Short mmCIF file of all heavy atoms in Angstrom, two decimals:
data_model
loop_
_atom_site.label_atom_id
_atom_site.label_comp_id
_atom_site.label_asym_id
_atom_site.label_seq_id
_atom_site.Cartn_x
_atom_site.Cartn_y
_atom_site.Cartn_z
N PRO M 1015 15.40 33.98 -36.15
CA PRO M 1015 16.39 33.38 -35.26
C PRO M 1015 15.99 31.96 -34.86
O PRO M 1015 14.82 31.68 -34.62
CB PRO M 1015 16.42 34.30 -34.06
CG PRO M 1015 15.25 35.21 -34.19
CD PRO M 1015 14.77 35.14 -35.61
N VAL M 1016 16.98 31.13 -34.78
CA VAL M 1016 16.77 29.73 -34.45
C VAL M 1016 16.84 29.54 -32.93
O VAL M 1016 17.67 30.14 -32.27
CB VAL M 1016 17.85 28.86 -35.13
CG1 VAL M 1016 17.72 27.41 -34.72
CG2 VAL M 1016 17.77 29.00 -36.64
N LEU M 1017 15.96 28.70 -32.42
CA LEU M 1017 15.97 28.35 -31.00
C LEU M 1017 16.64 26.99 -30.88
O LEU M 1017 16.23 26.04 -31.54
CB LEU M 1017 14.54 28.30 -30.47
CG LEU M 1017 14.35 28.08 -29.00
CD1 LEU M 1017 14.96 29.23 -28.21
CD2 LEU M 1017 12.88 27.96 -28.67
N ARG M 1018 17.68 26.90 -30.05
CA ARG M 1018 18.44 25.65 -29.92
C ARG M 1018 18.47 25.17 -28.48
O ARG M 1018 18.49 25.97 -27.55
CB ARG M 1018 19.86 25.85 -30.41
CG ARG M 1018 19.92 26.20 -31.85
CD ARG M 1018 21.32 26.52 -32.26
NE ARG M 1018 21.26 27.10 -33.58
CZ ARG M 1018 22.09 26.87 -34.54
NH1 ARG M 1018 23.11 26.08 -34.33
NH2 ARG M 1018 21.96 27.43 -35.72
N SER M 1019 18.54 23.85 -28.36
CA SER M 1019 18.70 23.22 -27.06
C SER M 1019 19.51 21.95 -27.26
O SER M 1019 19.28 21.21 -28.21
CB SER M 1019 17.33 22.89 -26.46
OG SER M 1019 17.46 22.37 -25.17
N HIS M 1020 20.48 21.72 -26.40
CA HIS M 1020 21.34 20.54 -26.54
C HIS M 1020 20.76 19.38 -25.74
O HIS M 1020 20.50 19.51 -24.55
CB HIS M 1020 22.75 20.87 -26.06
CG HIS M 1020 23.69 19.72 -26.22
ND1 HIS M 1020 24.14 19.30 -27.44
CD2 HIS M 1020 24.23 18.90 -25.31
CE1 HIS M 1020 24.93 18.27 -27.29
NE2 HIS M 1020 25.00 18.00 -26.00
N TRP M 1021 20.58 18.25 -26.40
CA TRP M 1021 20.06 17.04 -25.76
C TRP M 1021 21.11 15.95 -25.81
O TRP M 1021 20.88 14.87 -26.36
CB TRP M 1021 18.80 16.56 -26.45
CG TRP M 1021 17.58 17.39 -26.27
CD1 TRP M 1021 17.45 18.58 -25.63
CD2 TRP M 1021 16.28 17.07 -26.77
NE1 TRP M 1021 16.16 19.03 -25.69
CE2 TRP M 1021 15.42 18.12 -26.38
CE3 TRP M 1021 15.76 16.02 -27.49
CZ2 TRP M 1021 14.06 18.13 -26.70
CZ3 TRP M 1021 14.42 16.03 -27.81
CH2 TRP M 1021 13.58 17.07 -27.42
N GLY M 1022 22.26 16.18 -25.26
CA GLY M 1022 23.35 15.21 -25.32
C GLY M 1022 23.00 13.87 -24.70
O GLY M 1022 22.35 13.79 -23.67
N VAL M 1023 23.45 12.82 -25.37
CA VAL M 1023 23.28 11.45 -24.89
C VAL M 1023 24.61 10.74 -25.14
O VAL M 1023 25.20 10.88 -26.21
CB VAL M 1023 22.16 10.71 -25.64
CG1 VAL M 1023 22.05 9.26 -25.21
CG2 VAL M 1023 20.83 11.41 -25.44
N ALA M 1024 25.07 9.98 -24.16
CA ALA M 1024 26.30 9.22 -24.34
C ALA M 1024 26.17 8.29 -25.54
O ALA M 1024 25.15 7.60 -25.70
CB ALA M 1024 26.62 8.42 -23.08
N ASP M 1025 27.18 8.27 -26.39
CA ASP M 1025 27.16 7.44 -27.59
C ASP M 1025 27.40 5.99 -27.21
O ASP M 1025 28.49 5.63 -26.76
CB ASP M 1025 28.24 7.92 -28.56
CG ASP M 1025 28.21 7.20 -29.89
OD1 ASP M 1025 27.50 6.17 -30.03
OD2 ASP M 1025 28.90 7.66 -30.81
N PRO M 1026 26.41 5.13 -27.38
CA PRO M 1026 26.57 3.74 -26.98
C PRO M 1026 27.58 2.99 -27.85
O PRO M 1026 28.06 1.93 -27.47
CB PRO M 1026 25.17 3.15 -27.12
CG PRO M 1026 24.49 4.02 -28.12
CD PRO M 1026 25.08 5.39 -27.93
N ALA M 1027 27.94 3.54 -28.99
CA ALA M 1027 28.93 2.89 -29.85
C ALA M 1027 30.30 2.86 -29.18
O ALA M 1027 31.16 2.07 -29.55
CB ALA M 1027 29.01 3.61 -31.19
N HIS M 1028 30.50 3.71 -28.17
CA HIS M 1028 31.77 3.75 -27.45
C HIS M 1028 31.74 2.88 -26.19
O HIS M 1028 32.73 2.87 -25.45
CB HIS M 1028 32.13 5.19 -27.08
CG HIS M 1028 32.29 6.08 -28.26
ND1 HIS M 1028 33.29 5.91 -29.20
CD2 HIS M 1028 31.57 7.13 -28.69
CE1 HIS M 1028 33.18 6.82 -30.14
NE2 HIS M 1028 32.13 7.59 -29.86
N ALA M 1029 30.66 2.18 -25.96
CA ALA M 1029 30.53 1.35 -24.76
C ALA M 1029 31.48 0.15 -24.86
O ALA M 1029 31.73 -0.39 -25.93
CB ALA M 1029 29.10 0.86 -24.60
N GLY M 1030 32.00 -0.23 -23.72
CA GLY M 1030 32.86 -1.40 -23.65
C GLY M 1030 32.32 -2.37 -22.63
O GLY M 1030 31.29 -2.13 -22.01
N GLY M 1031 33.02 -3.45 -22.45
CA GLY M 1031 32.61 -4.43 -21.46
C GLY M 1031 32.02 -5.67 -22.10
O GLY M 1031 32.27 -5.96 -23.28
N THR M 1032 31.22 -6.34 -21.33
CA THR M 1032 30.60 -7.57 -21.82
C THR M 1032 29.50 -7.24 -22.83
O THR M 1032 29.08 -6.08 -22.96
CB THR M 1032 29.96 -8.34 -20.64
OG1 THR M 1032 28.88 -7.56 -20.12
CG2 THR M 1032 30.97 -8.64 -19.54
N ALA M 1033 29.04 -8.26 -23.50
CA ALA M 1033 27.94 -8.07 -24.46
C ALA M 1033 26.72 -7.50 -23.75
O ALA M 1033 26.02 -6.64 -24.31
CB ALA M 1033 27.60 -9.39 -25.14
N GLU M 1034 26.47 -7.94 -22.53
CA GLU M 1034 25.34 -7.44 -21.76
C GLU M 1034 25.50 -5.96 -21.42
O GLU M 1034 24.54 -5.19 -21.47
CB GLU M 1034 25.14 -8.26 -20.48
CG GLU M 1034 24.68 -9.68 -20.72
CD GLU M 1034 25.83 -10.63 -21.08
OE1 GLU M 1034 27.02 -10.27 -20.85
OE2 GLU M 1034 25.55 -11.71 -21.60
N GLU M 1035 26.70 -5.54 -21.09
CA GLU M 1035 26.97 -4.14 -20.76
C GLU M 1035 26.83 -3.24 -21.99
O GLU M 1035 26.29 -2.14 -21.90
CB GLU M 1035 28.36 -3.99 -20.14
CG GLU M 1035 28.47 -4.61 -18.76
CD GLU M 1035 29.89 -4.72 -18.26
OE1 GLU M 1035 30.82 -4.88 -19.07
OE2 GLU M 1035 30.07 -4.63 -17.02
N ILE M 1036 27.29 -3.73 -23.11
CA ILE M 1036 27.16 -2.97 -24.35
C ILE M 1036 25.69 -2.86 -24.74
O ILE M 1036 25.21 -1.80 -25.10
CB ILE M 1036 28.00 -3.62 -25.47
CG1 ILE M 1036 29.50 -3.49 -25.14
CG2 ILE M 1036 27.69 -2.99 -26.83
CD1 ILE M 1036 30.41 -4.30 -26.02
N ASP M 1037 24.97 -3.97 -24.63
CA ASP M 1037 23.53 -3.95 -24.92
C ASP M 1037 22.80 -2.99 -23.99
O ASP M 1037 21.92 -2.24 -24.42
CB ASP M 1037 22.95 -5.36 -24.78
CG ASP M 1037 21.51 -5.43 -25.23
OD1 ASP M 1037 21.19 -4.92 -26.33
OD2 ASP M 1037 20.69 -6.00 -24.47
N ALA M 1038 23.20 -2.97 -22.73
CA ALA M 1038 22.58 -2.06 -21.76
C ALA M 1038 22.83 -0.60 -22.13
O ALA M 1038 21.95 0.24 -21.97
CB ALA M 1038 23.10 -2.35 -20.35
N ALA M 1039 24.02 -0.30 -22.66
CA ALA M 1039 24.33 1.08 -23.08
C ALA M 1039 23.43 1.51 -24.23
O ALA M 1039 22.93 2.64 -24.26
CB ALA M 1039 25.80 1.19 -23.47
N PHE M 1040 23.20 0.62 -25.19
CA PHE M 1040 22.31 0.94 -26.31
C PHE M 1040 20.86 1.09 -25.83
O PHE M 1040 20.14 1.99 -26.27
CB PHE M 1040 22.41 -0.12 -27.41
CG PHE M 1040 23.56 0.11 -28.34
CD1 PHE M 1040 24.80 -0.42 -28.08
CD2 PHE M 1040 23.40 0.89 -29.49
CE1 PHE M 1040 25.87 -0.19 -28.94
CE2 PHE M 1040 24.45 1.12 -30.36
CZ PHE M 1040 25.70 0.58 -30.08
N THR M 1041 20.45 0.21 -24.92
CA THR M 1041 19.09 0.29 -24.38
C THR M 1041 18.89 1.59 -23.62
O THR M 1041 17.86 2.26 -23.77
CB THR M 1041 18.82 -0.91 -23.46
OG1 THR M 1041 18.93 -2.11 -24.24
CG2 THR M 1041 17.44 -0.84 -22.84
N ARG M 1042 19.89 1.99 -22.84
CA ARG M 1042 19.79 3.25 -22.08
C ARG M 1042 19.67 4.44 -23.03
O ARG M 1042 18.81 5.31 -22.85
CB ARG M 1042 21.00 3.41 -21.18
CG ARG M 1042 20.99 4.71 -20.40
CD ARG M 1042 22.05 4.70 -19.30
NE ARG M 1042 22.26 6.00 -18.71
CZ ARG M 1042 21.43 6.61 -17.88
NH1 ARG M 1042 20.30 6.04 -17.55
NH2 ARG M 1042 21.71 7.80 -17.39
N ALA M 1043 20.50 4.50 -24.05
CA ALA M 1043 20.44 5.62 -25.01
C ALA M 1043 19.08 5.65 -25.70
O ALA M 1043 18.48 6.71 -25.87
CB ALA M 1043 21.57 5.48 -26.04
N TYR M 1044 18.58 4.49 -26.09
CA TYR M 1044 17.27 4.41 -26.74
C TYR M 1044 16.18 4.94 -25.82
O TYR M 1044 15.34 5.74 -26.24
CB TYR M 1044 16.97 2.96 -27.15
CG TYR M 1044 15.55 2.75 -27.55
CD1 TYR M 1044 15.11 3.10 -28.82
CD2 TYR M 1044 14.62 2.21 -26.66
CE1 TYR M 1044 13.79 2.93 -29.19
CE2 TYR M 1044 13.30 2.04 -27.02
CZ TYR M 1044 12.88 2.39 -28.28
OH TYR M 1044 11.58 2.23 -28.64
N ARG M 1045 16.19 4.52 -24.57
CA ARG M 1045 15.16 4.94 -23.62
C ARG M 1045 15.20 6.45 -23.37
O ARG M 1045 14.17 7.10 -23.27
CB ARG M 1045 15.29 4.18 -22.31
CG ARG M 1045 14.84 2.74 -22.44
CD ARG M 1045 14.93 2.02 -21.12
NE ARG M 1045 14.44 0.66 -21.28
CZ ARG M 1045 14.74 -0.35 -20.49
NH1 ARG M 1045 15.55 -0.14 -19.45
NH2 ARG M 1045 14.27 -1.54 -20.70
N ILE M 1046 16.41 6.99 -23.24
CA ILE M 1046 16.54 8.43 -23.03
C ILE M 1046 15.99 9.19 -24.23
O ILE M 1046 15.19 10.13 -24.07
CB ILE M 1046 18.02 8.80 -22.77
CG1 ILE M 1046 18.47 8.28 -21.41
CG2 ILE M 1046 18.22 10.32 -22.87
CD1 ILE M 1046 19.97 8.38 -21.18
N LEU M 1047 16.40 8.80 -25.43
CA LEU M 1047 15.93 9.49 -26.63
C LEU M 1047 14.42 9.36 -26.80
O LEU M 1047 13.74 10.32 -27.14
CB LEU M 1047 16.66 8.97 -27.87
CG LEU M 1047 18.14 9.35 -27.93
CD1 LEU M 1047 18.82 8.60 -29.07
CD2 LEU M 1047 18.29 10.85 -28.10
N ARG M 1048 13.90 8.17 -26.55
CA ARG M 1048 12.45 7.97 -26.68
C ARG M 1048 11.68 8.85 -25.70
O ARG M 1048 10.69 9.49 -26.07
CB ARG M 1048 12.09 6.51 -26.48
CG ARG M 1048 10.61 6.27 -26.67
CD ARG M 1048 10.23 4.82 -26.47
NE ARG M 1048 8.80 4.72 -26.60
CZ ARG M 1048 8.20 4.00 -27.52
NH1 ARG M 1048 8.90 3.31 -28.39
NH2 ARG M 1048 6.88 3.96 -27.58
N ALA M 1049 12.15 8.91 -24.46
CA ALA M 1049 11.47 9.73 -23.44
C ALA M 1049 11.50 11.20 -23.84
O ALA M 1049 10.51 11.91 -23.69
CB ALA M 1049 12.14 9.53 -22.08
N ARG M 1050 12.62 11.65 -24.37
CA ARG M 1050 12.73 13.05 -24.77
C ARG M 1050 11.85 13.36 -25.97
O ARG M 1050 11.20 14.41 -26.01
CB ARG M 1050 14.19 13.39 -25.06
CG ARG M 1050 15.03 13.38 -23.80
CD ARG M 1050 16.47 13.64 -24.09
NE ARG M 1050 17.27 13.58 -22.86
CZ ARG M 1050 18.57 13.73 -22.82
NH1 ARG M 1050 19.25 13.94 -23.94
NH2 ARG M 1050 19.21 13.65 -21.68
N ILE M 1051 11.82 12.48 -26.93
CA ILE M 1051 10.96 12.70 -28.11
C ILE M 1051 9.50 12.70 -27.70
O ILE M 1051 8.72 13.55 -28.15
CB ILE M 1051 11.26 11.64 -29.20
CG1 ILE M 1051 12.66 11.88 -29.77
CG2 ILE M 1051 10.20 11.68 -30.29
CD1 ILE M 1051 13.20 10.74 -30.60
N GLU M 1052 9.10 11.76 -26.85
CA GLU M 1052 7.71 11.72 -26.39
C GLU M 1052 7.35 12.99 -25.61
O GLU M 1052 6.26 13.53 -25.78
CB GLU M 1052 7.47 10.48 -25.54
CG GLU M 1052 7.43 9.21 -26.36
CD GLU M 1052 7.31 7.94 -25.51
OE1 GLU M 1052 7.40 8.02 -24.27
OE2 GLU M 1052 7.12 6.88 -26.12
N ALA M 1053 8.27 13.47 -24.78
CA ALA M 1053 8.02 14.70 -24.02
C ALA M 1053 7.89 15.89 -24.97
O ALA M 1053 7.03 16.76 -24.78
CB ALA M 1053 9.13 14.94 -23.00
N PHE M 1054 8.73 15.94 -26.00
CA PHE M 1054 8.64 17.02 -26.98
C PHE M 1054 7.30 16.99 -27.70
O PHE M 1054 6.64 18.02 -27.86
CB PHE M 1054 9.79 16.92 -27.99
CG PHE M 1054 9.69 17.93 -29.08
CD1 PHE M 1054 10.00 19.26 -28.85
CD2 PHE M 1054 9.27 17.57 -30.35
CE1 PHE M 1054 9.90 20.21 -29.86
CE2 PHE M 1054 9.16 18.50 -31.36
CZ PHE M 1054 9.47 19.83 -31.12
N LEU M 1055 6.89 15.80 -28.13
CA LEU M 1055 5.62 15.68 -28.85
C LEU M 1055 4.42 16.00 -27.97
O LEU M 1055 3.36 16.36 -28.49
CB LEU M 1055 5.48 14.28 -29.46
CG LEU M 1055 6.49 13.96 -30.57
CD1 LEU M 1055 6.36 12.50 -31.01
CD2 LEU M 1055 6.31 14.89 -31.76
N ALA M 1056 4.59 15.90 -26.66
CA ALA M 1056 3.49 16.20 -25.73
C ALA M 1056 3.41 17.69 -25.37
O ALA M 1056 2.45 18.10 -24.72
CB ALA M 1056 3.66 15.38 -24.45
N LEU M 1057 4.38 18.48 -25.81
CA LEU M 1057 4.34 19.91 -25.50
C LEU M 1057 3.12 20.58 -26.14
O LEU M 1057 2.75 20.24 -27.26
CB LEU M 1057 5.60 20.61 -26.03
CG LEU M 1057 6.90 20.37 -25.29
CD1 LEU M 1057 8.05 21.07 -26.02
CD2 LEU M 1057 6.81 20.86 -23.86
N PRO M 1058 2.53 21.53 -25.44
CA PRO M 1058 1.41 22.27 -26.02
C PRO M 1058 1.93 23.37 -26.96
O PRO M 1058 1.90 24.57 -26.65
CB PRO M 1058 0.72 22.86 -24.79
CG PRO M 1058 1.85 23.06 -23.82
CD PRO M 1058 2.80 21.92 -24.07
N LEU M 1059 2.44 22.96 -28.10
CA LEU M 1059 3.11 23.90 -29.00
C LEU M 1059 2.22 25.05 -29.46
O LEU M 1059 2.71 26.16 -29.64
CB LEU M 1059 3.68 23.15 -30.21
CG LEU M 1059 4.84 22.20 -29.88
CD1 LEU M 1059 5.28 21.45 -31.14
CD2 LEU M 1059 6.00 22.95 -29.27
N GLN M 1060 0.94 24.80 -29.63
CA GLN M 1060 0.04 25.88 -30.02
C GLN M 1060 0.02 27.00 -28.98
O GLN M 1060 -0.11 28.17 -29.32
CB GLN M 1060 -1.39 25.35 -30.23
CG GLN M 1060 -1.54 24.43 -31.42
CD GLN M 1060 -1.40 25.17 -32.74
OE1 GLN M 1060 -1.50 26.39 -32.81
NE2 GLN M 1060 -1.16 24.43 -33.81
N GLN M 1061 0.18 26.61 -27.72
CA GLN M 1061 0.14 27.59 -26.63
C GLN M 1061 1.46 28.29 -26.38
O GLN M 1061 1.49 29.44 -25.95
CB GLN M 1061 -0.30 26.90 -25.33
CG GLN M 1061 -1.69 26.33 -25.39
CD GLN M 1061 -1.99 25.47 -24.17
OE1 GLN M 1061 -1.22 25.44 -23.22
NE2 GLN M 1061 -3.11 24.76 -24.21
N ILE M 1062 2.57 27.61 -26.64
CA ILE M 1062 3.87 28.18 -26.26
C ILE M 1062 4.76 28.56 -27.45
O ILE M 1062 5.86 29.06 -27.24
CB ILE M 1062 4.63 27.23 -25.32
CG1 ILE M 1062 5.01 25.92 -26.03
CG2 ILE M 1062 3.85 26.97 -24.06
CD1 ILE M 1062 5.90 25.01 -25.21
N GLN M 1063 4.29 28.36 -28.66
CA GLN M 1063 5.16 28.59 -29.81
C GLN M 1063 5.64 30.04 -29.93
O GLN M 1063 6.70 30.29 -30.48
CB GLN M 1063 4.48 28.14 -31.09
CG GLN M 1063 3.27 28.95 -31.48
CD GLN M 1063 2.63 28.42 -32.75
OE1 GLN M 1063 3.26 27.72 -33.52
NE2 GLN M 1063 1.37 28.74 -32.95
N HIS M 1064 4.89 30.98 -29.43
CA HIS M 1064 5.29 32.39 -29.53
C HIS M 1064 5.97 32.90 -28.25
O HIS M 1064 6.39 34.05 -28.20
CB HIS M 1064 4.08 33.25 -29.87
CG HIS M 1064 3.48 32.88 -31.19
ND1 HIS M 1064 4.14 33.03 -32.39
CD2 HIS M 1064 2.28 32.32 -31.50
CE1 HIS M 1064 3.37 32.60 -33.38
NE2 HIS M 1064 2.25 32.16 -32.86
N ASP M 1065 6.05 32.05 -27.24
CA ASP M 1065 6.72 32.40 -25.98
C ASP M 1065 8.09 31.73 -25.98
O ASP M 1065 8.27 30.62 -25.47
CB ASP M 1065 5.88 31.94 -24.80
CG ASP M 1065 6.45 32.35 -23.45
OD1 ASP M 1065 7.62 32.77 -23.39
OD2 ASP M 1065 5.72 32.22 -22.45
N ARG M 1066 9.07 32.40 -26.58
CA ARG M 1066 10.39 31.81 -26.76
C ARG M 1066 11.06 31.44 -25.44
O ARG M 1066 11.78 30.44 -25.37
CB ARG M 1066 11.28 32.73 -27.58
CG ARG M 1066 10.79 32.88 -29.02
CD ARG M 1066 11.65 33.80 -29.84
NE ARG M 1066 13.03 33.40 -29.95
CZ ARG M 1066 13.51 32.48 -30.80
NH1 ARG M 1066 12.67 31.86 -31.60
NH2 ARG M 1066 14.79 32.21 -30.84
N VAL M 1067 10.83 32.21 -24.40
CA VAL M 1067 11.44 31.92 -23.11
C VAL M 1067 10.89 30.61 -22.55
O VAL M 1067 11.65 29.74 -22.11
CB VAL M 1067 11.23 33.09 -22.12
CG1 VAL M 1067 11.69 32.73 -20.72
CG2 VAL M 1067 11.93 34.34 -22.62
N ARG M 1068 9.58 30.47 -22.59
CA ARG M 1068 8.97 29.23 -22.08
C ARG M 1068 9.34 28.03 -22.95
O ARG M 1068 9.66 26.95 -22.43
CB ARG M 1068 7.46 29.36 -22.00
CG ARG M 1068 6.83 28.10 -21.45
CD ARG M 1068 5.37 28.23 -21.13
NE ARG M 1068 4.83 26.93 -20.74
CZ ARG M 1068 3.59 26.57 -20.93
NH1 ARG M 1068 2.73 27.40 -21.46
NH2 ARG M 1068 3.19 25.37 -20.57
N LEU M 1069 9.32 28.22 -24.25
CA LEU M 1069 9.67 27.12 -25.15
C LEU M 1069 11.11 26.67 -24.91
O LEU M 1069 11.38 25.47 -24.81
CB LEU M 1069 9.47 27.53 -26.62
CG LEU M 1069 9.78 26.48 -27.67
CD1 LEU M 1069 9.00 25.20 -27.43
CD2 LEU M 1069 9.50 27.04 -29.05
N LYS M 1070 12.03 27.60 -24.77
CA LYS M 1070 13.43 27.26 -24.49
C LYS M 1070 13.54 26.53 -23.17
O LYS M 1070 14.27 25.53 -23.04
CB LYS M 1070 14.28 28.53 -24.49
CG LYS M 1070 15.71 28.34 -24.07
CD LYS M 1070 16.51 27.58 -25.09
CE LYS M 1070 18.00 27.64 -24.72
NZ LYS M 1070 18.66 26.37 -24.89
N ALA M 1071 12.82 26.99 -22.16
CA ALA M 1071 12.85 26.33 -20.85
C ALA M 1071 12.33 24.89 -20.95
O ALA M 1071 12.90 23.98 -20.33
CB ALA M 1071 12.03 27.13 -19.83
N GLU M 1072 11.26 24.70 -21.71
CA GLU M 1072 10.71 23.35 -21.88
C GLU M 1072 11.70 22.45 -22.62
O GLU M 1072 11.88 21.29 -22.26
CB GLU M 1072 9.38 23.41 -22.63
CG GLU M 1072 8.24 24.02 -21.84
CD GLU M 1072 7.82 23.16 -20.65
OE1 GLU M 1072 8.12 21.95 -20.62
OE2 GLU M 1072 7.17 23.71 -19.75
N LEU M 1073 12.32 22.97 -23.66
CA LEU M 1073 13.29 22.18 -24.41
C LEU M 1073 14.48 21.81 -23.53
O LEU M 1073 14.97 20.67 -23.58
CB LEU M 1073 13.75 22.94 -25.65
CG LEU M 1073 12.68 23.16 -26.72
CD1 LEU M 1073 13.24 24.03 -27.84
CD2 LEU M 1073 12.17 21.84 -27.26
N ASP M 1074 14.96 22.74 -22.72
CA ASP M 1074 16.07 22.45 -21.82
C ASP M 1074 15.66 21.42 -20.76
O ASP M 1074 16.46 20.54 -20.42
CB ASP M 1074 16.57 23.73 -21.16
CG ASP M 1074 17.30 24.65 -22.13
OD1 ASP M 1074 17.67 24.19 -23.25
OD2 ASP M 1074 17.49 25.83 -21.79
N ARG M 1075 14.44 21.54 -20.26
CA ARG M 1075 13.94 20.56 -19.27
C ARG M 1075 13.91 19.17 -19.89
O ARG M 1075 14.35 18.19 -19.28
CB ARG M 1075 12.54 20.96 -18.80
CG ARG M 1075 11.92 19.99 -17.80
CD ARG M 1075 10.46 20.30 -17.53
NE ARG M 1075 9.63 20.24 -18.71
CZ ARG M 1075 9.15 19.12 -19.26
NH1 ARG M 1075 9.46 17.95 -18.74
NH2 ARG M 1075 8.36 19.17 -20.32
N ILE M 1076 13.42 19.07 -21.10
CA ILE M 1076 13.36 17.78 -21.78
C ILE M 1076 14.77 17.21 -21.95
O ILE M 1076 14.98 16.01 -21.80
CB ILE M 1076 12.63 17.92 -23.14
CG1 ILE M 1076 11.14 18.20 -22.91
CG2 ILE M 1076 12.84 16.68 -23.99
CD1 ILE M 1076 10.39 18.59 -24.15
N GLY M 1077 15.72 18.07 -22.26
CA GLY M 1077 17.09 17.63 -22.46
C GLY M 1077 17.73 17.05 -21.21
O GLY M 1077 18.75 16.38 -21.28
N MET M 1078 17.12 17.28 -20.06
CA MET M 1078 17.63 16.74 -18.80
C MET M 1078 17.03 15.39 -18.44
O MET M 1078 17.49 14.73 -17.50
CB MET M 1078 17.38 17.72 -17.66
CG MET M 1078 18.03 19.09 -17.87
SD MET M 1078 19.82 19.00 -18.02
CE MET M 1078 20.24 18.52 -16.35
N LEU M 1079 16.00 14.94 -19.17
CA LEU M 1079 15.36 13.66 -18.86
C LEU M 1079 16.35 12.54 -19.04
O LEU M 1079 17.07 12.47 -20.02
CB LEU M 1079 14.14 13.43 -19.76
CG LEU M 1079 12.96 14.38 -19.58
CD1 LEU M 1079 11.87 14.05 -20.60
CD2 LEU M 1079 12.40 14.28 -18.16
N GLN M 1080 16.37 11.63 -18.08
CA GLN M 1080 17.33 10.51 -18.10
C GLN M 1080 16.67 9.15 -17.92
O GLN M 1080 17.17 8.30 -17.23
CB GLN M 1080 18.36 10.71 -16.96
CG GLN M 1080 19.25 11.89 -17.14
CD GLN M 1080 20.19 11.72 -18.31
OE1 GLN M 1080 20.73 10.65 -18.55
NE2 GLN M 1080 20.38 12.79 -19.07
N ARG M 1081 15.55 8.92 -18.51
CA ARG M 1081 14.87 7.63 -18.33
C ARG M 1081 15.67 6.50 -18.89
O ARG M 1081 16.15 6.33 -19.87
CB ARG M 1081 13.51 7.66 -19.00
CG ARG M 1081 12.49 8.17 -18.07
CD ARG M 1081 11.13 7.89 -18.58
NE ARG M 1081 10.29 9.00 -18.20
CZ ARG M 1081 9.14 9.27 -18.74
NH1 ARG M 1081 8.69 8.55 -19.71
NH2 ARG M 1081 8.44 10.28 -18.34
#
């Protein structure tokens, strides 16, 4: 069975406004994704890989990061 977690991020391609506002939307999406990827890579996977409940909780927590 596959373990899934949704990490939705607003698509900056749909941003409108000034060039600065559009650039800010892309920067925000980049920062959010980077923070989530870094948090995922920092997980102690060796320790939690067989604990599906904890792993799912960690993935969901990461999906809430909004840096």
Side-chain angles (χ1 to χ4, degrees):
V1016 176
L1017 185 63
R1018 297 174 191 220
S1019 184
H1020 182 71
W1021 289 4
V1023 176
D1025 186 348
H1028 299 295
T1032 66
E1034 292 82 16
E1035 290 169 329
I1036 293 169
D1037 187 49
F1040 276 89
T1041 298
R1042 178 168 169 73
Y1044 168 80
R1045 287 183 178 157
I1046 290 169
L1047 291 171
R1048 182 180 177 119
R1050 291 177 182 178
I1051 292 167
E1052 288 175 351
F1054 175 75
L1055 293 174
L1057 287 176
L1059 292 177
Q1060 292 290 343
Q1061 297 171 9
I1062 65 173
Q1063 66 182 340
H1064 299 295
D1065 184 346
R1066 293 179 60 81
V1067 172
R1068 181 171 174 209
L1069 181 55
K1070 174 70 170 137
E1072 290 292 341
L1073 293 175
D1074 289 345
R1075 178 189 60 80
I1076 290 170
M1078 301 300 291
L1079 294 177
Q1080 293 293 319
R1081 272 194 215 162

